[in-house]
Amino acid sequence: MSIWAKVATAVRGGVSEAGEAIVDNQVLRILDQEIRDAGNELSKSKEALTGIIAKRKLADKKVESLKSSLTEYEGYAMQALDKSDEGLATEISGKIAGLETELVAEEGLVKSFADSEAQLRKAVAQTEANLKRVKQQVDTVKATENVQKAQAAVAARHSGAGSSMRSALDSLEQLKNKQAERAAKFEAASELAQSTEEVSLDDKLKSAGIIGGAGSGGDVLARLKAKRSA
């Protein structure tokens, strides 16, 4: 495979990876939007549920009020009968019949509201659970995506001899070598300066006659003869 073919293959691979990244990001955006839409619909469902609960409670109160009125008017009818007031008892009975009809209608309304409330409560609870689960999954996917991107970035920086991390490490090693070389030069210069100072001092002592220099051959022979005669 020629170098240009390899370059073309690498470019196609890069384009493919970039396309996959775009698709992945698009999927996450779609999921985020779907979650927002579902959240909005859930809020509307909760508002509807609140309205149904309020209507059911009002109907409950109406039922209780009708039952109380029935008990009250039945008492009035009994009192009219006790007084043998048939006409009043008949009128009261008509009132009672109307209350009973209204009570049946209100109880049917209460049951209808209660059924709708139960169904909507179940739907809201299920939607909340599903939405929570999807949010958790999306959060997990996003966290994993971020971690993998970080890992990929670290791997890219660490891989290859030409990577910035490798270059930095090589530069650091070169700097350490230069420092070690400079330290050796400083040490050598110090030793040389000390040696030169000592030689210079010895010369001065010899010149002052404080210490002697190396003896001549005659001096050595005289010293040996003196040692022999002793």
Side-chain angles (χ1 to χ4, degrees):
M1 181 182 290
S2 68
I3 184 63
W4 296 113
K6 291 180 180 179
V7 170
T9 301
V11 169
R12 286 199 303 272
V15 171
S16 177
E17 290 178 0
E20 290 177 358
I22 292 173
V23 171
D24 291 342
N25 289 333
Q26 189 65 20
V27 168
L28 290 176
R29 288 194 189 97
I30 291 172
L31 282 173
D32 286 338
Q33 185 59 50
E34 291 292 335
I35 288 173
R36 285 192 292 270
D37 292 343
N40 292 334
E41 293 299 324
L42 182 60
S43 296
K44 293 179 181 178
S45 297
K46 287 183 176 180
E47 290 177 4
L49 176 59
T50 301
I52 290 175
I53 292 173
K55 290 178 180 179
R56 191 260 305 161
K57 288 185 175 181
L58 289 174
D60 280 336
K61 290 182 179 179
K62 185 66 177 294
V63 167
E64 293 302 319
S65 176
L66 288 171
K67 287 181 177 179
S68 177
S69 294
L70 279 171
T71 301
E72 180 182 356
Y73 280 98
E74 284 177 356
Y76 295 154
M78 296 300 294
Q79 292 179 31
L81 290 174
D82 288 340
K83 295 180 178 179
S84 300
D85 191 340
E86 196 74 23
L88 182 58
T90 300
E91 186 178 352
I92 295 172
S93 295
K95 175 69 174 179
I96 292 173
L99 290 173
E100 287 178 345
T101 300
E102 190 176 357
L103 177 60
V104 169
E106 285 296 328
E107 286 178 336
L109 193 59
V110 167
K111 185 179 185 306
S112 177
F113 284 142
D115 291 342
S116 297
E117 179 184 342
Q119 292 174 0
L120 195 51
R121 280 184 184 274
K122 183 177 179 181
V124 166
Q126 185 174 359
T127 301
E128 281 184 328
N130 292 338
L131 189 57
K132 181 179 180 181
R133 183 168 62 253
V134 172
K135 283 182 178 179
Q136 289 173 341
Q137 291 177 356
V138 170
D139 288 342
T140 300
V141 169
K142 286 182 178 179
T144 303
E145 184 73 8
N146 290 335
V147 169
Q148 290 180 350
K149 284 182 180 178
Q151 290 175 337
V154 171
R157 291 191 183 97
H158 283 231
S159 64
S163 67
S164 58
M165 179 64 73
R166 173 52 55 191
S167 299
L169 290 175
D170 290 343
S171 299
L172 179 62
E173 191 63 28
Q174 291 176 3
L175 180 59
K176 289 167 63 177
N177 291 336
K178 288 181 180 179
Q179 289 177 342
E181 184 177 350
R182 282 199 295 267
K185 288 182 179 179
F186 292 153
E187 185 177 355
S190 177
E191 291 177 356
L192 182 61
Q194 185 176 0
S195 174
T196 302
E197 183 181 353
E198 289 176 353
V199 171
S200 178
L201 181 60
D202 288 344
D203 289 342
K204 291 180 180 179
L205 291 173
K206 287 176 184 178
S207 297
I210 297 176
I211 62 173
S216 64
D219 293 337
V220 173
L221 181 60
R223 187 173 69 252
L224 292 175
K225 286 181 179 180
K227 187 181 292 186
R228 184 180 180 187
S229 63

